[in-house]
Short mmCIF file of all heavy atoms in Angstrom, two decimals:
data_model
loop_
_atom_site.label_atom_id
_atom_site.label_comp_id
_atom_site.label_asym_id
_atom_site.label_seq_id
_atom_site.Cartn_x
_atom_site.Cartn_y
_atom_site.Cartn_z
N LEU A 13 120.96 122.61 101.81
CA LEU A 13 120.35 121.71 100.81
C LEU A 13 121.32 120.94 99.92
O LEU A 13 121.12 119.83 99.50
CB LEU A 13 119.40 122.51 99.93
CG LEU A 13 118.05 122.84 100.52
CD1 LEU A 13 117.26 123.76 99.65
CD2 LEU A 13 117.19 121.57 100.78
N ALA A 17 121.48 114.21 101.01
CA ALA A 17 121.52 113.10 100.12
C ALA A 17 120.17 112.54 99.94
O ALA A 17 119.39 112.30 100.88
CB ALA A 17 122.45 112.00 100.72
N GLN A 19 116.13 112.11 98.36
CA GLN A 19 114.87 112.88 98.52
C GLN A 19 114.77 114.03 97.47
O GLN A 19 114.26 115.09 97.77
CB GLN A 19 114.75 113.46 99.95
CG GLN A 19 115.11 112.57 101.08
CD GLN A 19 114.27 111.24 101.05
OE1 GLN A 19 113.30 111.12 100.36
NE2 GLN A 19 114.81 110.23 101.79
N VAL A 22 111.18 115.24 96.86
CA VAL A 22 110.63 116.04 97.93
C VAL A 22 111.26 117.46 97.87
O VAL A 22 110.59 118.48 98.24
CB VAL A 22 110.98 115.41 99.31
CG1 VAL A 22 110.77 116.38 100.50
CG2 VAL A 22 110.20 114.11 99.52
N GLU A 34 113.43 127.33 102.08
CA GLU A 34 113.93 128.58 101.55
C GLU A 34 113.28 129.82 102.05
O GLU A 34 113.65 130.87 101.68
CB GLU A 34 113.85 128.54 99.97
CG GLU A 34 114.83 127.45 99.36
CD GLU A 34 114.64 127.32 97.86
OE1 GLU A 34 113.62 127.86 97.34
OE2 GLU A 34 115.51 126.74 97.22
N GLY A 41 101.53 132.59 104.19
CA GLY A 41 102.59 132.24 105.13
C GLY A 41 103.03 130.75 104.98
O GLY A 41 102.37 129.98 104.19
N LEU A 43 103.57 126.77 105.40
CA LEU A 43 102.72 125.71 105.82
C LEU A 43 103.45 124.80 106.82
O LEU A 43 104.68 124.75 106.83
CB LEU A 43 102.32 124.84 104.65
CG LEU A 43 101.34 125.44 103.64
CD1 LEU A 43 101.28 124.61 102.42
CD2 LEU A 43 100.03 125.72 104.23
N THR A 64 116.53 127.17 109.79
CA THR A 64 117.55 128.05 109.47
C THR A 64 117.10 129.20 108.48
O THR A 64 117.76 130.15 108.35
CB THR A 64 118.78 127.30 108.82
OG1 THR A 64 118.30 126.63 107.64
CG2 THR A 64 119.36 126.32 109.79
N SER A 66 115.40 132.34 107.18
CA SER A 66 114.87 133.55 107.70
C SER A 66 115.08 133.73 109.19
O SER A 66 114.20 134.29 109.91
CB SER A 66 113.36 133.74 107.29
OG SER A 66 113.15 133.60 106.00
N GLN A 92 105.68 135.40 122.29
CA GLN A 92 106.66 136.45 122.71
C GLN A 92 107.77 136.69 121.60
O GLN A 92 108.11 137.82 121.30
CB GLN A 92 107.42 135.96 123.91
CG GLN A 92 106.51 135.84 125.16
CD GLN A 92 107.24 135.32 126.37
OE1 GLN A 92 108.42 135.12 126.37
NE2 GLN A 92 106.48 135.07 127.42
N PHE A 111 102.08 110.71 120.23
CA PHE A 111 101.19 111.67 120.88
C PHE A 111 99.76 111.12 120.92
O PHE A 111 99.34 110.58 119.88
CB PHE A 111 101.21 112.98 120.14
CG PHE A 111 101.93 114.08 120.92
CD1 PHE A 111 102.88 113.78 121.95
CD2 PHE A 111 101.79 115.39 120.54
CE1 PHE A 111 103.55 114.79 122.62
CE2 PHE A 111 102.51 116.40 121.19
CZ PHE A 111 103.34 116.09 122.23
N GLU A 136 105.60 106.07 111.12
CA GLU A 136 104.33 105.30 110.88
C GLU A 136 103.34 106.10 110.00
O GLU A 136 103.41 107.35 110.05
CB GLU A 136 103.70 105.01 112.20
CG GLU A 136 104.52 104.06 113.08
CD GLU A 136 103.78 103.57 114.34
OE1 GLU A 136 102.61 103.78 114.46
OE2 GLU A 136 104.41 102.88 115.12
N ARG A 149 95.70 120.44 108.10
CA ARG A 149 96.36 121.75 108.20
C ARG A 149 97.88 121.69 107.85
O ARG A 149 98.59 122.62 108.09
CB ARG A 149 96.19 122.26 109.68
CG ARG A 149 94.78 122.64 109.95
CD ARG A 149 94.58 122.83 111.45
NE ARG A 149 93.27 123.35 111.80
CZ ARG A 149 92.12 122.74 111.81
NH1 ARG A 149 92.08 121.42 111.53
NH2 ARG A 149 90.99 123.29 112.07
N GLU A 174 135.92 116.90 108.13
CA GLU A 174 136.44 117.20 109.50
C GLU A 174 135.42 116.87 110.59
O GLU A 174 135.85 116.49 111.70
CB GLU A 174 136.89 118.62 109.60
CG GLU A 174 138.04 118.97 108.86
CD GLU A 174 139.32 118.24 109.28
OE1 GLU A 174 139.47 118.03 110.47
OE2 GLU A 174 140.11 117.92 108.41
N GLU A 189 130.83 98.15 99.99
CA GLU A 189 129.65 97.42 99.53
C GLU A 189 128.77 96.77 100.61
O GLU A 189 127.57 96.80 100.63
CB GLU A 189 130.08 96.33 98.48
CG GLU A 189 130.49 96.87 97.15
CD GLU A 189 129.34 97.59 96.38
OE1 GLU A 189 128.22 97.05 96.54
OE2 GLU A 189 129.55 98.61 95.78
N LEU A 191 128.74 97.50 103.84
CA LEU A 191 128.17 98.50 104.73
C LEU A 191 126.92 99.13 104.04
O LEU A 191 125.88 99.28 104.70
CB LEU A 191 129.17 99.59 105.08
CG LEU A 191 128.82 100.57 106.09
CD1 LEU A 191 130.11 101.12 106.82
CD2 LEU A 191 128.01 101.75 105.61
N GLY A 211 136.04 102.34 115.24
CA GLY A 211 136.52 102.02 116.60
C GLY A 211 137.08 100.62 116.65
O GLY A 211 138.10 100.42 117.31
N ASP A 222 152.31 102.56 113.71
CA ASP A 222 152.27 103.87 113.14
C ASP A 222 150.79 104.45 113.18
O ASP A 222 149.87 103.77 112.93
CB ASP A 222 152.67 103.76 111.62
CG ASP A 222 152.70 105.07 110.99
OD1 ASP A 222 152.68 106.05 111.72
OD2 ASP A 222 152.69 105.10 109.76
N GLU A 227 143.11 101.28 107.65
CA GLU A 227 142.15 100.66 106.74
C GLU A 227 141.03 99.95 107.50
O GLU A 227 141.35 99.08 108.30
CB GLU A 227 142.80 99.75 105.72
CG GLU A 227 141.81 99.09 104.76
CD GLU A 227 142.45 98.23 103.70
OE1 GLU A 227 142.87 98.70 102.63
OE2 GLU A 227 142.55 97.02 104.02
N LYS A 260 100.51 87.36 99.31
CA LYS A 260 100.56 87.34 97.85
C LYS A 260 101.64 86.39 97.33
O LYS A 260 101.59 85.90 96.20
CB LYS A 260 100.71 88.74 97.30
CG LYS A 260 99.43 89.60 97.50
CD LYS A 260 99.66 91.05 97.21
CE LYS A 260 98.36 91.83 97.31
NZ LYS A 260 98.55 93.26 97.30
N LEU A 307 94.51 73.20 104.14
CA LEU A 307 93.82 73.71 105.28
C LEU A 307 94.07 72.95 106.58
O LEU A 307 94.21 73.47 107.58
CB LEU A 307 92.30 73.80 104.97
CG LEU A 307 91.44 74.44 106.09
CD1 LEU A 307 91.93 75.87 106.37
CD2 LEU A 307 89.94 74.40 105.64
N PRO A 392 69.57 54.49 94.46
CA PRO A 392 70.54 53.46 94.05
C PRO A 392 71.98 54.07 93.99
O PRO A 392 72.99 53.41 94.44
CB PRO A 392 70.08 52.99 92.72
CG PRO A 392 68.64 53.23 92.72
CD PRO A 392 68.45 54.54 93.47
N PRO A 402 65.76 77.57 95.78
CA PRO A 402 64.44 78.28 95.67
C PRO A 402 64.08 78.42 94.17
O PRO A 402 65.05 78.38 93.25
CB PRO A 402 64.75 79.66 96.21
CG PRO A 402 65.90 79.37 97.20
CD PRO A 402 66.73 78.37 96.56
N ARG A 433 73.66 67.28 86.66
CA ARG A 433 72.78 66.62 85.64
C ARG A 433 71.69 65.78 86.29
O ARG A 433 70.56 65.80 85.87
CB ARG A 433 73.58 65.81 84.70
CG ARG A 433 72.94 65.19 83.51
CD ARG A 433 73.70 64.27 82.69
NE ARG A 433 74.16 63.12 83.52
CZ ARG A 433 73.25 62.11 83.84
NH1 ARG A 433 72.04 62.11 83.40
NH2 ARG A 433 73.74 61.11 84.50
#
Side-chain angles (χ1 to χ4, degrees):
L13 280 172
Q19 314 306 342
V22 168
E34 292 176 343
L43 293 170
T64 60
S66 304
Q92 294 177 5
F111 254 17
E136 298 189 4
R149 289 164 172 80
E174 290 297 325
E189 284 296 324
L191 191 153
D222 182 18
E227 181 177 271
K260 288 171 181 172
L307 182 58
R433 186 189 61 77

